[in-house]
Amino acid sequence: MELGISTFGEIHPDGTSGNAVNAHKRVEELLEEVKLADEVGLDVYAFGEHHRPDFVISAPEILISAAAAITKNIRLSSSVTVLSSVDPVRTFQNFATADLVSGGRVEMIAGRGSFIESFPLFGFDLDDYDALFTEKLEMFLQINKQEIVSWQGNFRAPIRNQGVYPRPLQQEIPVWIGVGGTPASAKRAGALNLPMIIAILGSAPKHFVPFVELYRESAAKAGHDVSKLQLAISSQFYIAGTSQQAADEFYPSYEALMTRVGKDRGWSPMTREQFEYLRDFGPLVVGDPQQAIDKIMQQYELFGNTRFVAQLVTGFTKHKDILKAIELYGTRVAPVVRKETKAKV
């Protein structure tokens, strides 16, 4: 199994039109984190797109390029590229450029986005939410496969026999479909024979088993080799030397994030009791290294996934503690998980 990290670059908003000191510091920290992840042998590091004051990453490709310049082996991806509200041509060019910088280590996770700020920001109608993603994914995949493109759709000016440059060092940019639990998304990923990543953030992992089965059934129905499908699971993650230490260090950041997001979505404020329940029975991978190994392996037994992506939640957690969690993940957790999953193949 491949082991990786996902981040959305949480920050304490600067609240200013310039002199964005907090944002600058957070970008420096992100680059330090990805450099360490590479050094401890993790497989992938992903930057997620948001357009909110509490997240610093709105252009994952730029941070991917910055990370490419200071790393050697780790694959670099978006945690999500909100394909619905970007131009597929320009997005491809950005990822292809980053791929050239990295020496062929770039991937993209395409999604519709769990927040909606990008739609009014870039002039798109939320009523077209599904149609936008379907059309733009189709266009991106065509550009990814062909140097010279002819294409026509409903939401963008047509292209007639034009080249899209630069081309990546890889034969194609690997494109994953990021999903949160919508059956139509699983069907689409399977039918297109694309890798799929599921973000499991609140419900018990076992509830997603039918969703994964639907993904594989759709791929088989479309004539694809199910044994070659790639599946990733992403869950929020933090580890420390002891289980209690991990819980105490992580909870303030987690509580703040979930309560803040919950205000937009009508959720009740997060409590310590809910947090502990999610640690014990839900998807949270928060504890000591052995607990992290056990939780990741439990998910592997359910899904047979080929990748696990640890979603970091930073918030109030000290940067030095985040770095320690990454170190423990790469040196204590990843080798054991790789060995155990290899033995089960």
Side-chain angles (χ1 to χ4, degrees), residues 91-142:
T91 300
F92 176 83
Q93 291 174 323
N94 291 345
F95 273 91
T97 302
D99 192 61
L100 296 175
V101 175
S102 74
R105 292 185 281 130
V106 166
E107 301 180 357
M108 184 180 83
I109 297 175
R112 295 179 297 177
S114 58
F115 294 98
I116 61 171
E117 288 84 0
S118 66
F119 288 84
L121 185 64
F122 296 115
F124 293 103
D125 192 330
L126 273 173
D127 289 340
D128 298 323
Y129 186 78
D130 292 314
L132 279 164
F133 182 75
T134 299
E135 180 175 299
K136 293 191 176 192
L137 176 62
E138 176 187 295
M139 186 181 190
F140 189 95
L141 294 176
Q142 184 175 336

Side-chain angles (χ1 to χ4, degrees), residues 139-178:
M139 186 181 190
F140 189 95
L141 294 176
Q142 184 175 336
I143 295 168
N144 204 19
K145 291 181 181 298
Q146 299 173 210
E147 177 186 355
I148 309 299
V149 177
S150 292
W151 183 91
Q152 185 167 347
N154 297 316
F155 299 104
R156 190 197 185 281
I159 294 178
R160 294 184 178 89
N161 202 38
Q162 286 186 269
V164 179
Y165 304 105
R167 307 307 298 181
L169 181 61
Q170 300 176 87
Q171 182 65 34
E172 297 178 11
I173 300 294
V175 178
W176 293 64
I177 300 295

Side-chain angles (χ1 to χ4, degrees), residues 18-54:
N19 194 32
V21 177
N22 290 345
H24 170 66
K25 181 180 178 182
R26 186 69 191 106
V27 167
E28 288 187 320
E29 291 174 348
L30 287 170
L31 295 177
E32 190 176 356
E33 289 166 16
V34 69
K35 189 172 187 293
L36 177 61
D38 184 45
E39 290 169 352
V40 298
L42 292 173
D43 299 295
V44 62
Y45 193 102
F47 300 89
E49 176 187 344
H50 283 89
H51 300 269
R52 297 166 56 92
D54 46 346

